[in-house]
Amino acid sequence: MNKAAWRSLGLATVLAVLPLAATATAEAEAPEPLSAEVVAAMTPQQQGEVLEPLRAVADAAARVGRGAYADLYTQVEMAPDYRSVNVYLTDTARGAAFLDAVRKAGPEADTKLLHVRKSAKSLQQIRKEINTFRSRRDLPFKIHMAGSTVDGGAIELSVDDAKAARRYLAEPAVTQELAAARTTPIRVRQSPPAVPLSRWNDSAPFYAGAALGPANGSFAHCTSGIPAHSTVDNRQWLVTAGHCYGLGESVFTAGGNRVGTVGAKLDDLDSAFIETATSRYTWDGLDAQGYTRRLNGVRNAAVGDFTCHLGYTTKVACNIRTAYAGNATWVNNGAYVWGSASDPNTYPVIARTGDSGGPVITINDENS
């Protein structure tokens, strides 16, 4: 079936199922608590049914927090019972005003599911401290990734030599300097380095999840990411990993079709933008014939949420539990990248070579 047919089917299916969501009644009894283990055992579709209300309010809270309330916003997470969402603010006295802003930003979001919690420091403060610490020239270890706890109470470093890091942090001069600067307590753990990991001959309009070249045998170089368009001039773009291509470079599919030219890059998001005709779909990787899903929006991830990664090599990797949502940072090609990261213990393989740039998604509809 060609792409046009899939688009027609995907859109019709979405329109057909939307009214069903409205049949839920407010009088329903409060649902039983869940656990991360129970949610992880669900299919992505089942997770979508359970987590969609939480995802909606978490996204609205994150947008407000990173906007007008950036001075007090720290992080948002799904509560341990997976029935509500916690948002962490340094000043809980402004919680009511924050919730009002969330209602305006996401009228569809149920703010009754959102609980304001006290945090130690804002995301802005934590980022500044992380940047200051990793710029120190006397570190006897390499920082593979840095992030913070959801409440901003501790900075967490993944390093190549945890013993050296702990010795360094215990040195009196370092301890005194960090204390004088009121630096958030720092934890370290040993970890391997974060290695940037990068259908075969896609054609316009381009989708996410396809193989990008140059190919190495049967392996793709990278994977196409989210289709996008500029709201300023309506130009269309295909996003992929920034470390895959340079600015101005022509990009081809692994099979040789020309995609377009990299017209912009954001190094701190490791993103490259290829100007080309796109459509809001992604190959989901499960079907060799090329099954597609319609992309119905963009969401901020919440700590504790479960996502899927659609890379060309690995195909579909789901049940990836978010450990850091927008507050993780690592070095890639000499640039500091900020983004989200998963708990490495919750999924054996998230990505392999050739998966770079592929979309990270949640499934909130059977066909979308």
Side-chain angles (χ1 to χ4, degrees), residues 22-327:
T23 61
T25 60
E27 293 78 14
E29 295 182 4
E32 292 293 326
L34 300 173
S35 66
E37 292 74 20
V38 170
V39 177
M42 298 177 180
T43 66
Q45 288 86 351
Q46 291 170 332
Q47 289 175 357
E49 293 174 6
V50 172
L51 301 180
E52 176 59 20
L54 307 185
R55 289 169 175 167
V57 74
D59 171 68
R63 284 187 278 123
V64 170
R66 293 174 181 175
Y69 287 80
D71 60 322
L72 71 157
Y73 171 77
T74 305
Q75 192 54 270
V76 63
E77 72 169 351
M78 295 194 176
D81 64 357
Y82 282 91
R83 294 303 188 185
S84 61
V85 172
N86 296 324
V87 60
Y88 290 84
L89 307 177
T90 57
D91 185 0
T92 55
R94 295 169 62 188
F98 183 91
L99 291 177
D100 285 340
V102 173
R103 293 186 189 98
K104 294 177 181 177
E108 78 291 350
D110 184 0
T111 53
K112 294 191 295 294
L113 301 174
L114 190 62
H115 303 295
V116 175
R117 309 297 187 194
K118 174 70 174 176
S119 60
K121 292 184 179 180
S122 70
L123 179 59
Q124 284 185 336
Q125 292 172 306
I126 291 292
R127 282 194 171 196
K128 184 177 180 181
E129 290 184 13
I130 289 175
N131 286 336
T132 298
F133 184 81
R134 68 182 178 188
S135 65
R136 297 173 70 100
R137 297 182 178 275
D138 62 339
L139 297 179
F141 55 91
K142 291 183 179 180
I143 301 175
H144 295 320
M145 192 182 77
S148 71
T149 54
V150 69
D151 64 353
I155 292 173
E156 299 178 323
L157 304 179
S158 296
V159 302
D160 68 333
D161 190 338
K163 291 182 178 179
R166 294 189 182 99
R167 285 196 300 267
Y168 175 82
L169 291 169
E171 292 178 7
V174 174
T175 300
Q176 293 172 11
E177 185 177 349
L178 295 178
R182 296 184 178 181
T183 301
T184 301
I186 298 175
R187 305 173 185 167
V188 296
R189 67 178 180 184
Q190 188 88 21
S191 75
V195 180
L197 298 174
S198 350
R199 223 174 231 290
W200 190 252
N201 201 23
D202 203 7
S203 58
F206 291 97
Y207 296 171
L212 299 180
N216 180 13
S218 60
F219 294 96
H221 178 61
C222 286
T223 301
S224 59
I226 297 298
H229 77 275
S230 169
T231 55
V232 175
D233 52 21
N234 211 35
R235 294 160 72 184
Q236 295 186 20
W237 305 88
L238 185 67
V239 185
T240 191
H243 63 264
C244 294
Y245 304 103
L247 187 64
E249 186 174 351
S250 292
V251 179
F252 297 81
T253 67
N257 283 341
R258 188 178 189 277
V259 180
T261 302
V262 178
K265 294 189 70 173
L266 291 175
D267 289 337
D268 61 343
L269 295 178
D270 188 27
S271 298
F273 296 80
I274 309 164
E275 187 167 9
T276 188
T278 62
S279 188
R280 54 190 299 173
Y281 285 79
T282 180
W283 303 106
D284 82 343
L286 288 175
D287 188 339
Q289 301 303 315
Y291 180 71
T292 60
R293 286 185 184 272
R294 184 176 184 271
L295 298 168
N296 56 29
V298 179
R299 286 274 173 84
N300 288 286
V303 171
D305 198 358
F306 290 83
T307 64
C308 298
H309 179 240
L310 312 181
Y312 179 79
T313 303
T314 305
K315 308 307 182 194
V316 180
C318 288
N319 280 340
I320 304 169
R321 188 165 184 255
T322 305
Y324 302 95
N327 70 334

Side-chain angles (χ1 to χ4, degrees), residues 319-340:
N319 280 340
I320 304 169
R321 188 165 184 255
T322 305
Y324 302 95
N327 70 334
T329 181
W330 55 93
V331 179
N332 184 50
N333 287 353
Y336 289 123
V337 178
W338 285 93
S340 298

